[in-house]
Amino acid sequence: MIKIAVLVSGRGTNLQAIIDACENNFIPGKVVCVISNIENVYALERAKKHNIPNFVISHKNKERIEFEKELIKKLEEFKPDLICLAGFMRILTPYFIEYYRNRIMNIHPALLPAFKGLYGEKVHKAVIESGAKFSGCTVHFVTEEVDGGPIILQRIVPVEDEDTPETLAERVLKEEHIAYPMAIRLFAEGRLKIEGKRVKILY
Amino acid sequence: MIKIAVLVSGRGTNLQAIIDACENNFIPGKVVCVISNIENVYALERAKKHNIPNFVISHKNKERIEFEKELIKKLEEFKPDLICLAGFMRILTPYFIEYYRNRIMNIHPALLPAFKGLYGEKVHKAVIESGAKFSGCTVHFVTEEVDGGPIILQRIVPVEDEDTPETLAERVLKEEHIAYPMAIRLFAEGRLKIEGKRVKILY
């Protein structure tokens, strides 16, 4: 059973998918804490409902490194095996990334390496404007390169002619809720092997 | 029945797919001429086998515009409705593109807008090195922006752990041979509507 910490900044639908997958024993693991950098977000409510220790650590009026030291101090109370970013809206510095090297995952709502560095509705707007016929989501390990870490899983959706950023976001989000628990499960089972920028799944 | 001109520089497997799709009446059209900028390539043999007028117009020792004027002069003998680039290894200038505005198609062996500006095995090498779990092909109209014109169709393939650029190229090529005739068919039927960078298919 791995111990999972989840960092959030918003409504936390991916957090919910991870919690549910743990409770259903799909993931051999447990969400041991949820930390938000923003107060009063719905993700914290979700944690409370499942009796998961939850905290707000604000990034405001702090140096990045100071914020991350606080984050690590709190995280280390729970000795997490894996840190999952789930709509966490802060870019992490090499300090944090090195501390949890190869143990930080993120999900991006597009088919990386396309549409790097964008987030939220902006990603979906850019995808639609690019004329691409497919989008999707990407679960990847977090490295110093924003949205550039080794890719674990991707899932694909069509982009429809009538799509707005909202309708595309909704379609992609459904795939996120499948991809993220799947990637965490493979990690928990020790089946992910990083080779450069590629991640092989061991069967 | 539309008249299709195909520009080639190599073995012409996409040319063959287009010829076959016309002969099978999948595309309501006919390949009226094949022009290569390189001598003795196998694409020219394919044209000969199907009794399609075929020509070599070399780009060597010529200004780009001079080369393109020769190209247009030859093309206009056949009054093509559509120019298909099929492994054609020259970047076209705004002069040529304007002449055949919205009537030039190309196929790119990756999921644009990712992996623009690369060609041949280099694309597949870059895809594998990126760690992407999916690749594919993209049929698009040609504009002044290299690999940046409105996308007509995309088809997707998995990238396997064992893939080399060669094995991935082979998998993508199969999809190219489906996507390109399909896109040409939709064009011939008047079903493609360009709106900015998006192409809508009219049903």
Side-chain angles (χ1 to χ4, degrees):
Chain A
M1 294 283 286
I2 65 160
K3 285 178 274 183
I4 303 163
V6 184
L7 305 188
V8 299
S9 302
R11 61 192 174 134
T13 69
N14 273 307
L15 167 65
Q16 189 67 56
I18 296 166
I19 292 171
D20 293 346
C22 289
E23 292 192 350
N24 297 335
N25 300 314
F26 178 77
I27 295 171
K30 192 181 173 196
V31 179
V32 292
C33 72
V34 172
I35 303 178
S36 173
N37 65 314
I38 311 274
E39 281 180 30
N40 296 321
V41 294
Y42 192 65
L44 294 166
E45 294 306 311
R46 295 181 195 270
K48 280 171 205 160
K49 280 183 192 167
H50 292 265
N51 298 312
I52 298 166
N54 58 92
F55 310 92
V56 175
I57 298 180
S58 175
H59 62 280
K60 282 186 192 161
N61 305 316
K62 284 173 199 164
E63 299 279 334
R64 274 181 191 276
I65 210 86
E66 187 189 348
F67 168 63
E68 292 185 356
K69 280 183 177 170
E70 274 189 54
L71 211 50
I72 291 171
K73 195 177 166 201
K74 181 54 75 184
L75 285 168
E76 283 308 300
E77 290 179 20
F78 298 92
K79 301 275 174 219
D81 301 295
L82 179 67
I83 317 289
C84 291
L85 313 185
F88 181 65
M89 290 301 195
R90 304 299 298 169
I91 290 172
L92 297 163
T93 75
Y95 173 75
F96 188 94
I97 289 164
E98 184 54 42
Y99 200 98
Y100 293 109
R101 177 69 65 194
N102 295 342
R103 293 192 288 144
I104 314 170
M105 272 188 201
N106 184 36
I107 190 157
H108 185 78
L111 290 177
L112 293 174
F115 306 104
K116 276 185 194 188
L118 298 169
Y119 53 89
E121 299 273 294
K122 280 183 190 168
V123 183
H124 304 295
K125 187 163 180 283
V127 170
I128 289 170
E129 287 175 356
S130 80
K133 297 299 183 187
F134 294 96
S135 189
C137 63
T138 304
V139 188
H140 62 93
F141 285 111
V142 173
T143 63
E144 286 80 356
E145 187 190 345
V146 175
D147 296 332
I151 293 172
I152 301 163
L153 283 181
Q154 297 186 302
R155 289 179 65 91
I156 288 177
V157 303
V159 181
E160 306 285 2
D161 288 348
E162 320 75 52
D163 268 331
T164 61
E166 293 73 22
T167 59
L168 180 56
E170 194 180 349
R171 194 175 308 122
V172 170
L173 194 60
K174 278 186 195 158
E175 300 306 314
E176 292 178 44
H177 297 164
I178 297 168
Y180 215 165
M182 182 70 81
I184 296 169
R185 177 188 208 187
L186 293 169
F187 178 89
E189 294 173 340
R191 293 185 191 275
L192 301 179
K193 188 178 172 203
I194 301 173
E195 295 185 355
K197 289 197 85 168
R198 293 200 69 78
V199 179
K200 291 191 177 177
I201 297 171
L202 306 174
Y203 289 94
Chain B
M1 294 282 287
I2 65 159
K3 285 178 277 183
I4 304 162
V6 184
L7 305 187
V8 299
S9 303
R11 59 191 176 138
T13 69
N14 274 304
L15 167 65
Q16 189 68 56
I18 296 166
I19 292 171
D20 293 347
C22 289
E23 292 191 350
N24 298 335
N25 300 314
F26 179 77
I27 295 172
K30 193 182 171 195
V31 179
V32 292
C33 73
V34 172
I35 304 177
S36 173
N37 66 315
I38 311 275
E39 281 180 31
N40 296 320
V41 294
Y42 192 66
L44 294 166
E45 295 305 312
R46 295 182 194 269
K48 280 171 204 158
K49 280 184 190 166
H50 292 264
N51 298 312
I52 299 167
N54 58 92
F55 309 93
V56 174
I57 297 179
S58 175
H59 62 280
K60 283 187 191 161
N61 305 313
K62 284 173 199 164
E63 297 280 335
R64 274 180 192 274
I65 209 87
E66 186 190 347
F67 168 63
E68 291 185 355
K69 280 184 177 169
E70 272 189 55
L71 211 51
I72 291 171
K73 195 177 166 200
K74 181 54 75 184
L75 285 167
E76 282 310 298
E77 291 178 20
F78 298 91
K79 300 275 173 222
D81 301 295
L82 179 66
I83 316 289
C84 290
L85 313 185
F88 182 64
M89 288 303 193
R90 304 300 297 169
I91 290 171
L92 296 164
T93 75
Y95 173 74
F96 188 94
I97 290 163
E98 184 54 42
Y99 200 99
Y100 294 109
R101 175 70 63 195
N102 294 344
R103 294 191 290 143
I104 314 170
M105 272 187 201
N106 185 38
I107 190 156
H108 186 79
L111 291 176
L112 293 174
F115 306 104
K116 277 186 192 185
L118 298 169
Y119 54 87
E121 299 274 293
K122 281 182 189 168
V123 182
H124 304 296
K125 189 166 179 284
V127 170
I128 289 170
E129 286 174 357
S130 79
K133 296 300 183 186
F134 294 96
S135 189
C137 62
T138 304
V139 188
H140 63 92
F141 285 111
V142 173
T143 64
E144 287 78 358
E145 187 191 343
V146 175
D147 297 330
I151 293 171
I152 301 162
L153 284 180
Q154 296 186 302
R155 289 178 65 89
I156 287 176
V157 303
V159 180
E160 307 285 4
D161 288 348
E162 320 74 51
D163 267 331
T164 62
E166 293 74 22
T167 60
L168 180 57
E170 193 180 350
R171 194 174 308 123
V172 170
L173 194 60
K174 279 186 197 157
E175 300 306 313
E176 292 178 44
H177 297 162
I178 297 168
Y180 214 166
M182 182 70 82
I184 296 169
R185 179 188 206 186
L186 294 168
F187 178 88
E189 294 174 340
R191 292 185 191 275
L192 300 180
K193 190 178 171 202
I194 302 174
E195 294 184 356
K197 289 197 85 168
R198 292 201 69 78
V199 179
K200 292 192 176 176
I201 297 171
L202 307 174
Y203 288 94

